[in-house]
């Protein structure tokens, strides 16, 4: 069990926020959790089971701001009060410096327009790739082919999933210098986390392609669409538009500009 815990903890890196929450000292930030467990296994009860308070006076402004943002205020009200007192101490940090630090932290998450233009760039890039692909394979480019458009939507979802899973960025995000990271640790996400983040968009793209295929098959065989299928198409269109609207609205009404898919994937987009 202990060996498994060490293996699982290799990728866990400590931040001032975790120090504030769990009582680790500042010098432990650069260590992985496994190293700490190995160093302190013998003294676990005395060192980590006790209510140890980190020395916040050794923290930099950036570290204090991070600790303030992530600390559990209800579980550790004294620690939170200590952090706020240090930030408000004019002898330690001039008010302007603290305000500038908070503004910088806020700008880190001001990603609405970079993400908007990144989506435009990705759409243009993907369209260019499709044009080249059709020229290579001598396929006629027909914008009236609804099934092809629907399948392209699925391919775009797969592109977004793989790029975010392996790089944290699509090509558009790379150009606009924003990146998808884990919400809590702000470290790189993996493929599974990217899948959770893109799951709804990908599911809607696949369902949309299936509906288009069903519509075309019914039209080819019967020459008209049944009332039931019409209601399904209308309902799906309403759900898709509602999802897109909810994505836009949630981005506007939270400090970190997280859309619904970011909450599902436990991610956040930051400037780099």
């Amino acid at each position: 069990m202990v060996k498994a815990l060490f293996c699982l903890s290799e990728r866990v890196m400590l931040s001032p926020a975790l120090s504030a929450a769990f009582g680790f000292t500042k010098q432990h930030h650069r260590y992985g959790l496994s190293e700490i467990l190995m160093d302190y296994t013998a003294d676990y009860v005395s060192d980590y089971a006790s209510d140890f308070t980190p020395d916040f006076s050794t923290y930099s402004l950036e570290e204090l701001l991070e600790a303030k943002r992530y600390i559990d205020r209800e579980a550790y009200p004294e620690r939170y009060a200590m952090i706020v007192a240090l930030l408000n101490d004019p002898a330690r940090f001039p008010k302007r410096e603290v305000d500038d630090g908070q503004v910088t932290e806020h700008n880190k998450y001001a990603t609405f327009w970079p993400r908007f233009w990144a989506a435009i760039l990705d759409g243009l890039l993907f369209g260019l790739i499709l044009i080249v692909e059709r020229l290579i394979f001598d396929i006629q480019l027909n914008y009236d082919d609804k099934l092809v458009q629907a399948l392209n939507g699925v391919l775009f979802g797969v592109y977004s999933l793989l790029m975010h899973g392996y790089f944290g960025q699509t090509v558009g995000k790379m150009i606009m210098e924003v990146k998808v990271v884990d919400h809590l640790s702000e470290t790189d996400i993996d493929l599974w986390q990217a899948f959770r983040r893109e799951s709804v968009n990908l599911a809607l793209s696949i369902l949309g392609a299936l509906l288009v295929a069903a519509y075309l098959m019914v039209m080819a065989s019967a020459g008209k669409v049944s009332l039931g299928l019409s209601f399904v198409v209308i309902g799906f269109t309403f759900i898709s538009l509602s999802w897109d609207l909810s994505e836009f609205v949630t981005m506007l009404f939270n400090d970190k500009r997280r859309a619904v898919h970011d909450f599902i994937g436990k991610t956040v987009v930051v400037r780099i």
Side-chain angles (χ1 to χ4, degrees), residues 127-143:
L128 179 62
I129 292 174
L130 292 176
I131 292 174
V132 172
E133 179 185 70
R134 294 188 178 200
L135 290 174
I136 292 175
F137 295 103
D138 194 24
I139 301 174
Q140 289 296 321
L141 184 62
N142 184 4
Y143 291 103

Side-chain angles (χ1 to χ4, degrees), residues 2-269:
V2 174
K3 182 178 180 181
L5 181 59
F6 286 153
C7 292
L8 288 173
S9 62
E10 282 294 336
R11 297 177 61 187
V12 179
M13 300 303 294
L14 297 179
S15 67
L18 290 177
S19 298
F22 298 109
F24 295 129
T25 55
K26 182 182 177 184
Q27 59 265 33
H28 294 148
H29 297 171
R30 64 181 181 273
Y31 298 128
L33 184 56
S34 61
E35 285 87 348
I36 292 176
L37 288 172
M38 292 175 67
D39 289 342
Y40 289 93
T41 298
D43 300 319
Y44 173 81
V45 174
S46 60
D47 287 345
Y48 287 99
S50 61
D51 186 15
F52 178 79
T53 301
D55 184 6
F56 291 117
S57 65
T58 63
Y59 279 41
S60 66
L61 174 60
E62 182 180 2
E63 290 170 336
L64 284 172
L65 289 172
E66 182 183 359
K68 179 185 176 184
R69 185 171 72 250
Y70 288 118
I71 192 171
D72 188 338
R73 303 182 187 183
E74 295 182 0
Y76 302 98
E78 299 84 1
R79 298 184 187 184
Y80 178 75
M82 192 182 307
I83 293 170
V84 172
L86 287 170
L87 287 172
N88 293 333
D89 182 3
R92 181 178 176 83
F93 300 115
K95 186 177 185 302
R96 181 176 179 181
E97 185 178 345
V98 175
D99 291 342
D100 289 345
Q102 291 174 337
V103 169
T104 301
E105 188 69 17
H106 174 74
N107 289 340
K108 178 181 181 180
Y109 303 108
T111 58
F112 178 83
W113 287 112
R115 292 168 75 172
F116 173 81
W117 291 114
I120 298 295
L121 291 171
D122 284 326
L124 292 174
L125 174 64
F126 199 72
L128 179 62
I129 292 174
L130 292 176
I131 292 174
V132 172
E133 179 185 70
R134 294 188 178 200
L135 290 174
I136 292 175
F137 295 103
D138 194 24
I139 301 174
Q140 289 296 321
L141 184 62
N142 184 4
Y143 291 103
D144 293 327
D145 193 335
K146 303 300 181 184
L147 182 58
V148 171
Q149 292 182 42
L151 291 175
N152 288 341
V154 176
L155 290 176
F156 186 82
V158 174
Y159 156 80
S160 183
L161 165 63
L162 295 177
M163 290 296 292
H164 285 129
Y166 286 108
F167 304 104
Q169 301 168 285
T170 59
V171 174
K173 284 187 174 67
M174 291 177 183
I175 295 173
M176 298 307 301
E177 297 183 339
V178 292
K179 187 175 184 179
V180 179
V181 295
D182 181 78
H183 170 52
L184 291 178
S185 65
E186 296 194 359
T187 55
D188 292 344
I189 64 174
D190 56 19
L191 194 59
W192 171 241
Q193 195 167 1
F195 175 76
R196 293 204 312 268
R197 184 178 188 270
E198 302 295 331
S199 58
V200 176
N201 288 325
L202 195 57
L204 288 175
S205 297
I206 294 173
L207 288 175
L210 292 175
L211 276 177
V212 170
Y215 178 88
L216 294 175
M217 290 175 62
V218 170
M219 286 294 295
S221 60
K224 62 178 182 179
V225 179
S226 65
L227 185 62
L229 183 57
S230 297
F231 278 122
V232 170
V233 172
I234 293 173
F236 176 79
T237 302
F238 176 77
I239 292 172
S240 297
L241 291 176
S242 298
W243 169 256
D244 292 337
L245 181 61
S246 68
E247 290 272 85
F248 177 76
V249 171
T250 52
M251 284 184 65
L252 296 179
F253 291 97
N254 66 87
D255 292 337
K256 293 186 177 181
R257 297 294 180 258
R258 300 174 71 201
V260 179
H261 64 260
D262 287 309
F263 286 98
I264 294 174
K266 297 182 179 180
T267 60
V268 65
V269 182

